[in-house]
Amino acid sequence: MPLDVLVVDDSIAIRKVLLRVLAQTGARFGVVQEAKDGEEALEAVRNHRFHVIFTDLAMPGMTGLEFLQKLKSRPEYRRVPVIVVSSVAAQSKVVEAVRLGASAFIRKPFNASQIQAKLRELGLLGA
């Protein structure tokens, strides 16, 4: 089954790198959409059901934590896996992201094997 993916990061460069790394995982993708902040991401999930969402935490406007809180407060989105990909190093932010419903956390810089491992752990990629 092709995965529909949403990538949320205020940096165009990071979004492109993540998309390139996703292509290296061997997963098949269907719809792949990008959002520059939490507001755009919420609009995207209103219009499409994604299999997995990758989000940064530090973004202008609506942060990744605010996005997670709003997303996971809606019953129809509670089961959508969200993988946080961030350079935020504070353990308190990681704990908060998990408390708000993040399924996994990957620190920047990242590589294809890290992304691949998280997708496998979430049952989104075959062994």
Side-chain angles (χ1 to χ4, degrees):
M1 166 184 75
L3 294 177
D4 291 350
V5 177
L6 175 62
V7 175
V8 188
D9 198 299
D10 58 310
S11 167
I12 294 170
I14 294 295
R15 291 195 310 261
K16 298 301 178 201
V17 167
L18 183 52
L19 292 173
R20 191 169 50 249
V21 166
L22 282 169
Q24 296 171 3
T25 66
R28 290 183 338 159
F29 297 98
V31 172
V32 178
Q33 195 167 338
E34 300 176 43
K36 71 175 191 272
D37 60 27
E39 286 292 339
E40 276 191 12
L42 284 177
E43 184 63 28
V45 297
R46 285 184 197 110
N47 295 316
H48 188 80
R49 177 72 99 187
F50 294 95
H51 296 107
V52 64
I53 298 170
F54 292 86
T55 188
D56 189 12
L57 291 183
M59 295 180 288
M62 184 185 294
T63 68
L65 289 175
E66 292 167 328
F67 167 65
L68 263 171
Q69 183 177 26
K70 288 182 186 271
L71 180 77
K72 296 299 185 167
S73 71
R74 306 277 310 266
E76 64 269 33
Y77 303 124
R78 286 195 186 128
R79 301 188 99 173
V80 176
V82 177
I83 300 174
V84 173
V85 181
S86 184
S87 58
V88 171
Q91 186 64 26
S92 62
K93 296 290 186 189
V94 175
V95 169
E96 182 70 2
V98 170
R99 186 187 72 76
L100 290 171
S103 305
F105 193 97
I106 298 171
R107 291 203 194 285
K108 292 176 186 173
F110 52 86
N111 60 45
S113 63
Q114 291 170 297
I115 301 290
Q116 193 174 47
K118 294 301 178 191
L119 290 173
R120 274 201 185 102
E121 286 171 20
L122 295 170
L124 298 170
L125 189 63

